[in-house]
Amino acid sequence: MALRILIFFMVFHSFLSQPLLAQYQITDNCIQAWEAIIDLRLVTADSLINAELAENPNNYYVYYLAQTCDAYELMINNSTEVYEKLIPKYEERISMMEDHDVDSPHYLTCIAEMQLQMGMFNIIHGDKLSGLRRAYGAYKKTYRNIDKNPDYQTSYKLDGIFDVALLNLPPFVSWAANAFGVSGDEKKGYATLNNYFIYCSNLEGLKQEAALYNILAFKLNKDPQSAYEFISTLDSGYFNYKLLSYFKANVAFRCGKNEEALLVLSTFDNENMEVQFNGYNYLFGKILLRKLDPSAIGYFKKYLTNKPEEQYLKEIHYALALSYLIAGDKEKFTKHKQLAYELGSEIAERDREAMYDCSLDYFPDVNLVRAKLSLDGGYNDVARNWLEIFRSAQNDKDSPSPYNLEYWLLKGKLEFVEGNTNEAISLLSKVVTLGKNEDYYFASEAALQLGIIYKNTDPDKALSYFKLARDLYVIDYYEYIDEISKKRIRDLSR
């Protein structure tokens, strides 16, 4: 859950390899607290932080660590009440640190990460201007520190993150990057973060944090396959930490490896957590939905019961609606579709996608829904079966109805993943030809898929299809279509 915002908050073990300065002491309590945070043992972490504060109240590093622990708690179980309690804590901690030991390389980086954390929470809770100001302040401090302390490796962690994040800002804040005159470069960001991981590879604790930053950068850039490949290189010991284990399952899910995701998440001990981790219900429900398993309903309901705030309400209510639809309950599908439309916010991309689904002017065909979920989960034979059932029941097999357009799109994607490239091209081209004047995303995504098919064999043709995908794109469609097309155009134009 909140996978794109997580990337701004994952601040673990960041300074263990740096020389200790008088006011920034990374003691045994601090190291153990970091270990607890990355393992989601936040009660233990808080206890260790308080013990360190009692022993050494002038250790400025601990104020940063305390803020980060609170940020994780708010991120995991978001609520307005906890957010409002965090604001004065943040202000007090910043005031304790500002203008103290300013020559330390830790100084600007600690405050920058605290600002970035708080800025993201400001945006989530509706105070966008304060959030953007804080995020930009964090950006400036990061690069000021790099100029001032070029050999201080920890600053390059946020440098890499900013390079990736600035290319993936949501529409409602993307204008700010232009206004502030900042830009990103995901290839540079990837390289920077990989170098940071190599630098940390022999440092226990710090290497887990560096691995997580790489994974989150890939995910933020809508590149789960690179995240999956990176994870495949890691020693199994990394996944003794709950947060890394969770992301291993999440990345497998995003790559269409649903059974692998299920296996990993099934080993996750959610019953003995020190904090309620609702992300488990979120991901387990979505994994089961792709299996067309009705028990997904229970996980989605549990998620909603434990979810006090607005983010992801649209996504999960619509996922619950689909669960009821494939179970044959159209009445509850309609009910939760309406709840998805009415409740929650549109800050998260998944919520905006749900709003598109809720706004469709036709009732979804249950067999196409089953086929799409199965295909997304990597169950190709199951997807093919549902597509055949849909097709056999169609009387009008040639009109550009939304049902036929979706059928051709799904079948084209299926043929491509199974190696039947010519058949895939024929089907996807049909979607573009017949669907380009229709008010649905199908033709735009079909053009994107054709660009992906041609990118290695005919770059010029691929470029034309990626441009066509953008030409056909409408702002209310799924954002990944436009974002991926834009990045592919940039890559092919270099």
Side-chain angles (χ1 to χ4, degrees):
M1 59 185 288
L3 296 181
R4 295 181 68 180
I5 295 173
L6 270 169
I7 200 162
F8 295 106
F9 301 149
M10 298 295 134
V11 184
F12 312 115
H13 315 287
S14 299
F15 312 116
L16 302 184
S17 61
Q18 306 299 330
L20 299 184
L21 301 178
Q23 302 299 332
Y24 285 88
Q25 300 177 33
I26 303 157
T27 64
D28 287 343
N29 282 334
C30 295
I31 293 170
Q32 292 176 45
W34 278 124
E35 294 287 329
I37 289 171
I38 200 170
D39 198 36
L40 298 180
R41 291 180 288 113
L42 300 187
V43 175
T44 298
D46 188 61
S47 177
L48 289 161
I49 289 167
N50 287 332
E52 180 62 28
L53 282 172
E55 294 172 17
N56 190 358
N58 293 323
N59 183 356
Y60 300 137
Y61 181 80
V62 184
Y63 294 102
Y64 152 78
L65 187 58
Q67 181 69 24
T68 300
C69 186
D70 284 348
Y72 268 87
E73 183 176 2
L74 178 54
M75 178 187 63
I76 290 168
N77 294 306
N78 197 9
S79 76
T80 300
E81 181 181 0
V82 175
Y83 165 70
E84 290 176 348
K85 288 181 179 179
L86 183 59
I87 294 172
K89 289 182 181 180
Y90 166 81
E91 299 291 354
E92 181 179 358
R93 289 161 180 161
I94 287 289
S95 68
M96 292 293 293
M97 297 168 68
E98 281 184 331
D99 300 324
H100 290 88
D101 203 4
V102 297
D103 292 326
S104 166
H106 302 300
Y107 174 72
L108 286 173
T109 303
C110 279
I111 291 181
E113 295 194 7
M114 292 169 69
Q115 275 190 302
L116 189 56
Q117 292 167 4
M118 203 65 212
M120 294 305 101
F121 284 128
N122 290 150
I123 291 171
I124 291 169
H125 287 269
D127 190 356
K128 294 178 184 177
L129 290 179
S130 294
L132 289 170
R133 282 196 296 267
R134 285 192 169 118
Y136 184 51
Y139 178 90
K140 292 192 295 183
K141 287 180 175 64
T142 295
Y143 291 102
R144 193 187 314 159
N145 210 35
I146 288 174
D147 289 341
K148 184 179 179 181
N149 302 289
D151 295 327
Y152 177 67
Q153 293 300 311
T154 301
S155 287
Y156 294 98
K157 177 185 61 180
L158 278 190
D159 175 28
I161 288 298
F162 278 125
D163 261 325
V164 176
L166 287 169
L167 293 174
N168 293 278
L169 294 173
F172 61 87
V173 295
S174 59
W175 61 268
N178 294 326
F180 292 143
V182 298
S183 61
D185 181 337
E186 82 278 9
K187 292 187 182 298
K188 177 176 172 289
Y190 281 1
T192 299
L193 289 168
N194 186 60
N195 288 337
Y196 182 66
F197 174 70
I198 294 170
Y199 171 79
C200 299
S201 60
N202 293 319
L203 301 169
E204 197 62 41
L206 186 55
K207 66 182 184 181
Q208 284 86 0
E209 175 260 354
L212 187 60
Y213 261 80
N214 277 266
I215 294 167
L216 293 171
F218 292 132
K219 283 181 58 59
L220 182 64
N221 201 44
K222 294 183 174 61
D223 189 5
Q225 185 59 38
S226 291
Y228 184 83
E229 292 168 3
F230 176 79
I231 284 171
S232 298
T233 69
L234 299 179
D235 181 85
S236 61
Y238 282 88
F239 306 107
N240 292 331
Y241 295 89
K242 287 187 175 66
L243 201 54
L244 280 168
S245 177
Y246 178 79
F247 272 96
K248 183 179 182 180
N250 187 282
V251 167
F253 172 81
R254 297 296 174 196
C255 286
K257 301 178 185 296
N258 209 56
E259 286 300 307
E260 183 176 337
L262 179 61
L263 179 62
V264 174
L265 200 61
S266 294
T267 67
F268 196 95
D269 184 8
N270 196 50
E271 296 301 320
N272 295 304
M273 299 279 288
E274 290 187 2
V275 294
Q276 175 182 285
F277 185 55
N278 214 8
Y280 174 86
N281 297 315
Y282 171 96
L283 185 54
F284 219 120
K286 298 196 78 174
I287 290 170
L288 292 174
L289 178 58
R290 284 186 174 178
K291 287 177 68 69
L292 312 182
D293 187 334
S295 61
I297 292 171
Y299 286 93
F300 291 141
K301 284 186 172 181
K302 189 172 183 180
Y303 177 86
L304 292 170
T305 299
N306 295 327
K307 180 68 175 172
E309 296 304 312
E310 295 191 340
Q311 198 174 18
Y312 300 105
L313 285 179
K314 292 183 180 299
E315 178 193 8
I316 297 304
H317 269 296
Y318 194 75
L320 189 54
L322 292 180
S323 300
Y324 281 118
L325 180 63
I326 63 178
D329 193 332
K330 292 183 178 181
E331 182 178 345
K332 287 186 178 178
F333 165 80
T334 302
K335 171 187 173 183
H336 285 280
K337 174 186 170 183
Q338 188 63 29
L339 288 172
Y341 188 85
E342 294 174 353
L343 300 179
S345 68
E346 296 181 45
I347 291 177
E349 182 179 354
R350 305 294 178 200
D351 287 324
R352 295 193 294 275
E353 289 178 350
M355 279 299 291
Y356 171 79
D357 292 325
C358 290
S359 301
L360 293 174
D361 60 359
Y362 62 93
F363 196 94
D365 181 274
V366 66
N367 291 320
L368 290 177
V369 170
R370 289 167 174 152
K372 184 178 188 302
L373 290 168
S374 300
L375 181 60
D376 288 345
Y379 305 112
N380 295 345
D381 290 342
V382 177
R384 188 176 293 278
N385 178 64
W386 288 117
L387 288 173
E388 289 174 356
I389 292 173
F390 164 82
R391 195 61 170 169
S392 67
Q394 287 296 102
N395 293 321
D396 181 359
K397 300 185 187 304
D398 298 314
S399 72
S401 71
Y403 303 111
N404 286 333
L405 290 171
E406 184 172 17
Y407 166 78
W408 293 320
L409 174 63
L410 292 175
K411 194 165 189 297
K413 292 170 70 173
L414 174 61
E415 298 299 347
F416 177 57
V417 299
E418 293 201 329
N420 305 317
T421 305
N422 290 336
E423 178 68 11
I425 291 171
S426 176
L427 287 162
L428 294 169
S429 298
K430 189 173 186 177
V431 177
V432 172
T433 300
L434 296 180
K436 62 185 177 183
N437 295 319
E438 303 297 325
D439 189 21
Y440 306 109
Y441 80 95
F442 305 119
S444 183
E445 177 159 357
L448 168 62
Q449 294 297 322
L450 285 164
I452 291 170
I453 289 173
Y454 282 114
K455 68 182 177 65
N456 293 324
T457 59
D458 191 337
D460 290 338
K461 186 173 285 189
L463 183 61
S464 68
Y465 275 117
F466 289 132
K467 289 180 177 178
L468 179 60
R470 297 203 71 200
D471 289 342
L472 295 173
Y473 182 79
V474 175
I475 192 169
D476 292 329
Y477 292 172
Y478 302 140
E479 291 165 23
Y480 68 81
I481 299 172
D482 191 53
E483 291 181 9
I484 293 175
S485 298
K486 181 166 56 177
K487 291 169 187 173
R488 301 285 191 176
I489 291 168
R490 186 178 63 249
D491 291 344
L492 289 169
S493 301
R494 284 173 174 172

